[in-house]
Amino acid sequence: MKIFTKSEPAGGKGASSSENATLTPVSGRRYTQPALGGPPDPRDPYQNVWAGASDGLAITATLLSALLVWGGIGFLIDWLAGTPKVFTAAGMILGAVLGIYLIYVKYGKEHDKR
């Protein structure tokens, strides 16, 4: 693979025009590493910086969605029954408890090795 850079025009720096600029190959130097350049290196300390981000986002989304769904159900019951936000608070508490339980089941529980 050849990498090209612009060379100076024949007249020097003062005579810079786009017609006179040529591309010359540069051997051995690259600006960036090639895409999908090989297998991951386990010794690289910066490679696994984002390794736990997907778990953290999944836990956050699970907890927030449980709060929103059960709080929304409580709000709907309050709206239909005409009560002053009693079921909304109960729904949000129930959502928090169920969200934490789901997170425990999915991420905190030890899996059997059978």
Side-chain angles (χ1 to χ4, degrees), residues 57-67 95 98-99 102-103 106-107:
L57 287 174
I59 289 170
T60 303
T62 301
L63 190 57
L64 287 176
S65 62
L67 282 169
L98 290 176
L102 286 175
I103 292 167
K106 188 170 184 180
Y107 296 102

Side-chain angles (χ1 to χ4, degrees), residues 16 22 46 57 81:
S16 62
T22 59
Y46 298 107
L57 287 174

Side-chain angles (χ1 to χ4, degrees), residues 3 7 11 16 20 23 30 36-37 45 53 55 63 65 69 72 85 89 91 95 97 99 105 107:
I3 299 173
S7 65
S16 62
N20 294 336
L23 295 177
R30 300 185 74 128
L36 301 175
D55 289 339
L63 190 57
S65 62
V69 167
K85 308 295 182 227
V97 169
V105 167
Y107 296 102

Side-chain angles (χ1 to χ4, degrees), residues 5-78:
T5 60
K6 286 187 178 182
S7 65
E8 290 294 323
K13 287 187 178 182
S16 62
S17 69
S18 60
E19 300 92 28
N20 294 336
T22 59
L23 295 177
T24 58
V26 176
S27 62
R29 291 189 300 181
R30 300 185 74 128
Y31 292 116
T32 60
Q33 295 181 354
L36 301 175
D41 185 11
R43 295 171 289 164
D44 186 9
Y46 298 107
Q47 184 174 353
N48 293 324
V49 172
W50 296 98
S54 62
D55 289 339
L57 287 174
I59 289 170
T60 303
T62 301
L63 190 57
L64 287 176
S65 62
L67 282 169
L68 288 174
V69 167
W70 288 102
I73 291 171
F75 179 78
L76 183 63
I77 292 171
D78 278 333

